[in-house]
Amino acid sequence: MKLTVVAASGGIGRQLLEQALAAGHEVTAVVRDPGKLGETSARVVRADLARAGAGELRAAVAGADAVLSGLGAVGKAGLGVAEAGTRALVGAMREAGARRLLVVSAAPIGTVASPQRPNPPRHDPGEGPVMRHLLTPVVKRVLRAHYADLARMEDAVLASGLDWTVVRPPRLTDGPLTSDYRVAYGRNLRGGSKVSRADVAHCMLRSVGDPDTVGRVLGVAD
């Protein structure tokens, strides 16, 4: 398949890139700084998605069977990139006629308010009591601005008219690829407090050709 990986030098993006190439896919890597990517057999497109317009990205997604995005802020300086970059990406995909989009969000986002969903549920149905009453509230306070950005990103994806999938992992680790993770539709996973970036990337790549994941939110965790 022809795949475009956005934010390919990031934690999940790099895993997407490496696993897709290892599987024999033809990959285009979209990065702000190609120097951070290192040597790769992928086609590399330089683009700052925080400022990019649809025209700048059109060539990167044209002809792609799927676009996989690992966009997300790293630190305060990157706040807003998830929403702005995804809106630019959606515009480019519409212009280029690309349809399949898979993005990474975060486990608590189902309970975070956004312009399109001002009254989300208070709790995720997959959360156990410890996550619901202790861990999730603390994390949401600490990462409030980051989660607001991701919630607005999800708004853009859900309104895109594309064949989308949103993947919501809990705490990310640098653990190895195990392929031994759990997935749930439309909810988080009971007891699922962490998952490796490698396994999130595997889940996304596995979902590319799975019609049951189109238009769905996936919870993924160990």
Side-chain angles (χ1 to χ4, degrees):
M1 285 190 291
K2 292 184 178 181
L3 304 178
T4 298
V5 176
V6 177
S9 61
I12 290 176
R14 191 176 293 275
Q15 289 290 335
L16 285 167
L17 178 62
E18 292 175 359
Q19 292 181 36
L21 289 171
H25 298 300
E26 182 181 335
V27 184
T28 295
V30 179
V31 291
R32 183 175 63 178
D33 181 2
K36 292 183 178 180
L37 198 58
E39 187 174 343
T40 179
S41 60
R43 171 190 172 217
V44 178
V45 174
R46 181 175 184 172
D48 183 350
L49 271 77
R51 300 177 177 84
E56 184 177 350
L57 297 171
R58 193 183 304 115
V61 300
D65 296 304
V67 177
L68 303 100
S69 174
L71 271 175
V74 179
K76 292 183 179 179
L79 284 172
V81 69
E83 179 192 9
T86 301
R87 290 191 184 280
L89 186 60
V90 165
M93 290 180 66
R94 285 172 171 168
E95 291 189 15
R99 294 288 313 162
R100 188 75 172 103
L101 174 63
L102 300 94
V103 303
V104 176
S105 185
I109 303 305
T111 60
V112 175
S114 69
Q116 296 303 313
R117 197 174 60 163
N119 299 299
R122 242 183 114 183
H123 304 294
D124 186 281
E127 289 180 334
V130 174
M131 290 294 292
R132 175 173 294 188
H133 300 296
L134 179 62
L135 298 181
T136 296
V138 170
V139 171
K140 284 172 69 175
R141 281 196 297 271
V142 173
L143 297 176
R144 180 180 301 173
H146 291 77
Y147 286 165
D149 185 22
L150 289 173
R152 294 191 300 270
M153 176 201 74
E154 288 197 13
D155 282 353
V157 171
L158 271 61
S160 67
L162 301 175
D163 298 331
W164 56 266
T165 300
V166 172
V167 177
R168 290 178 181 164
R171 181 172 64 86
L172 295 167
T173 75
D174 290 323
L177 172 64
T178 69
S179 306
D180 184 23
Y181 49 84
R182 296 176 292 149
V183 175
Y185 290 100
R187 62 178 178 85
N188 294 328
L189 290 134
R190 184 64 62 95
S193 62
K194 62 183 177 62
V195 67
S196 72
R197 292 174 175 85
D199 278 342
V200 173
H202 185 274
C203 175
M204 293 175 72
L205 288 165
R206 190 173 68 175
S207 298
V208 167
D210 183 354
D212 288 342
T213 66
V214 174
R216 306 290 292 275
V217 173
L218 305 184
V220 57
D222 287 348

